[in-house]
């Protein structure tokens, strides 16, 4: 199991609320802007896509790569962040 970033720990520690998309682990300024340009401006909107894809790891990672150009590590970090958040709050 890989270690998680401080950003990941902070995200999964509390309800999502109105957190910006860049609050997600693996999503920095560049990817965040690309997601925002595609209508995914809040973390909960990306969560919605994750849920629409039925929490499927491969589908979500492919979607993230196609939507904003996320590399494998960024995909893995974002997926892990949302999965852990869902495990805690859903």
């Amino acid at each position: 199991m890989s270690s998680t970033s401080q950003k990941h720990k902070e995200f999964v520690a509390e309800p999502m609320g109105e957190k910006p998309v860049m609050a997600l682990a693996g999503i920095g300024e560049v990817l965040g802007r690309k997601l925002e340009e595609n209508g995914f401006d809040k973390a909960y909107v990306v969560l919605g896509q994750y849920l629409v894809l039925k929490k499927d790891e491969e589908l979500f990672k492919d979607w993230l790569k196609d939507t904003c150009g996320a590399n494998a590590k960024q995909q893995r970090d974002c997926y892990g962040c949302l999965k852990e958040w869902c495990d805690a709050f859903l």
Side-chain angles (χ1 to χ4, degrees), residues 26-85:
I27 306 299
E29 194 172 326
V30 173
L31 296 184
R33 277 199 310 268
K34 290 179 182 176
L35 285 166
E36 287 171 350
E37 289 167 6
N38 284 290
F40 297 90
D41 59 333
K42 299 285 185 185
Y44 70 79
V45 183
V46 176
L47 172 66
Q49 184 65 27
Y50 171 78
L51 295 174
V52 164
L53 296 172
K54 299 183 178 181
K55 303 180 189 177
D56 183 277
E57 182 173 3
E58 187 176 337
L59 290 175
F60 180 75
K61 287 178 176 180
D62 286 346
W63 171 82
L64 203 56
K65 180 177 74 174
D66 294 343
T67 304
C68 67
N71 67 31
K73 181 185 183 323
Q74 293 161 331
Q75 295 166 33
R76 188 172 54 250
D77 289 352
C78 188
Y79 171 81
C81 183
L82 287 172
K83 182 180 185 311
E84 187 174 329
W85 188 91

